[in-house]
Amino acid sequence: MKETRLSNEPQKFINTKLDELRQIYVNITTSYEFFYVIEGTIYANCYEETHRLESGDMFMATPGQAFMLIPDSEPALYISMSIHPLGVKKQELYHQKILPCVFKKDQIRQAHLNLLYSIYQESFQAEHSQVQELIEVFLQKLPWKERQTGLETQSDKKMELILKASQILADVDPGLEELALKLNISPSYLSRVFKEVTGMRFSDFSQRKKLQKSSQLLLSGMSIEDIALTIGFTSSKSLNRIYRQFVKTTPSSYRKYLLELANNQKKEEDLRYKASFQKFVEHYAEPSYTNTMKEYLGEKYNYHHVSTSAPSIQDPTLGQRAVSLDNFGEDYLKEIQSLNSINSNGQLALNLDIPSEDNGAIFFKDLNKWGDEEDLFKILAKINEINIPAILSVGVKDQSIKEFCKNHKREEIGDYLKLVENFYKKIIKNVTRPIAETYYYVFDTSGVLEFESPKSIMYFFEFVEKHHLMLEQLLYTSNFNSVYHLGKQSSAELEDIVDFISKNRHRVRLPKYSYAQITLAQKLKLSNPHQLLSAIEQSKKVIKQLNAFEEDDRLKRTKIKLQGIDMDLVIDYVDPLYHDLFFAILTLDLWMKLKGKSRIIPNYNFSFACRTKESLFTSKLIDKSGFPTPFYHINLFVSQMPENVIYHKEGCLISKNEDEIHLLVYTNPLLDYSFAIEKGFEYLSDYKREVFIDISDLKGYYKETTQILNYENGSPYFQLRNFKQPELMSAYEKEYVRSHSTPLLMSDYKEVSGKLELTLTLKPFEVVYKVFTKIKDPR
């Protein structure tokens, strides 16, 4: 590649270059060196440490420093800038200082990038008068630190000695004694000064230089053994060892890589196009909110085109959401009433434990407290009153079906079932058999598939058959649903389990109206914006895997279904105003990507470790203070949508019935979080993006109702931020907060003649719900 040396005499101190790193590069720099990675990956070795540099990172070296650069499996495109100390006006400021080897992209500010690229661009111009001024500003902005060694501060004399040594080492490859002789000093003194100034022992530097030379010889026809002997190794084994240490592969494999690159040489103009200022700013400079969405989600993320005449997909999960008691506050009996307004098809899950002695006591697992049968019958009466079905999960306190199956205790399984049977008899007697038939009967045997013994799993399915038979006898019918939770599994374990049950399905018999469900556990690390963006890809893989499993014939044959996902997130920080809103939208995003697979009991739990605290988020409708949460409103939006879906893509869901069109649009929660961490939560209201939606084949007059959910509208914490002790609020104050903690509601009227075109402006962490209802001509 062409190097650029400034033509004006005073500016001979700077070289700039745009190039691809294709081979190993080892050097002792006599200048201030900067390598900014535009594309690809580079491994940089300096001060006895190896760093991984990716797109947007920069490697820096100060005069006298030894370093090595190694390309990854593909050549890395970089801009290099070399500044000779004589060209630095205020050289004394940096003489006794050094730079950290690596400057990561999350540390590099926009000002650094602008200066770096301006210097690079100026060096190709006829007039270079601004270069030196730009360099001075650039150097001042870098994170300098005091130069320290294990022995003493470096002197000019020692630095001069190493710079002379580096000139000799650039042309030949002498040993320590030969180099010391050329410099007229003792080998021991040279060895000590070499390590002190360069940060690398002479023997280590010599090895790395041999590695560089070998990479050049690999393109010749020499054998690996001959190359090893030529560069001073005793055998090819020694060369293999050093390649394994630094290049993580063998010389033979590296030769194939180099030969492939040699056949794919890129023209300089191609590289310049990749590194043009426009592309540089677009890809590597500070992004706007809209550009961030486009870069990671594609150009079409903000554009949605749909026709009402297109075939619709019926999604029965719309309008059917189940919640458990822990979704409510202390006055849960009163708040259960809200299920009717949330969702006409709502379901309430009751997770109960009964004691081994029949004393009328019941442990409400979701509330984490003991009650009695009267408490349960009051809840069931309330459920019957508002006409929503119940989901019953009943177990025996301090007894585990898992342990019984594991230890093959068939007799204890029978005793366990007898206790559950007697309890169900009381419920059926209280609510009547026709109502009891409408309930879902769930049995939680989480972890049962963790058994190592196939026989243990067979015992479990034997228990399932007996459990179902017992319910048939009590209800006098087989027309009811029962669900068995088999626990949380990793994706790898899930494959093994499905294969095992599929191969043994002749021995694994689930009753006609029963099926087992599995939850997939997944962990994501979201500790900074750049890790988070890679986590987006990881979450996509999880969703893809879940969707693939759902369509798997093995699952259908064995009546095993995926029930949901448990996400364990490691995050840095969430502003309290955005906390529940962020997780509520993340829940919505997962539900959308899973296409509503969690049909009975949605199990979206997010446990997360935060910089300031550790907590657990579950999709609650009502918080402990009795205020509706953002998830309450999202749940309400989803439950109101018709079943006929005409458009379903990330960030947008559209469904219809005869006279209504419903739209649910939201921002990507992971990218919003990334943006918030980088920009600061307090400034998020300054950023907006536009979403364009057009719906064709519509004609007539429509009433447009819009609800907007964000941290100001629909989150109680925005209203509560001025109350330091919410528990001391008066009834009037609580009612005020509750009435203001609702989505922003707006109405309008539209006349449509063929196509409905919408432009929505969304802020980070925002959900928009629109309903278009056909009406007569309002005039």
Side-chain angles (χ1 to χ4, degrees), residues 483-501:
V483 183
Y484 300 87
H485 290 298
L486 306 184
K488 302 173 187 177
Q489 310 296 328
S490 69
S491 53
E493 291 171 330
L494 196 53
E495 281 279 7
D496 294 338
I497 289 163
V498 170
D499 281 335
F500 170 79
I501 296 177

Side-chain angles (χ1 to χ4, degrees), residues 239-261:
L239 184 60
N240 264 286
R241 189 183 70 254
I242 194 171
Y243 263 88
R244 287 287 188 188
Q245 181 182 351
F246 292 106
V247 192
K248 311 301 180 187
T249 187
T250 63
S252 300
S253 298
Y254 198 65
R255 188 205 295 268
K256 291 179 183 177
Y257 159 71
L258 292 174
L259 288 172
E260 187 176 345
L261 291 183

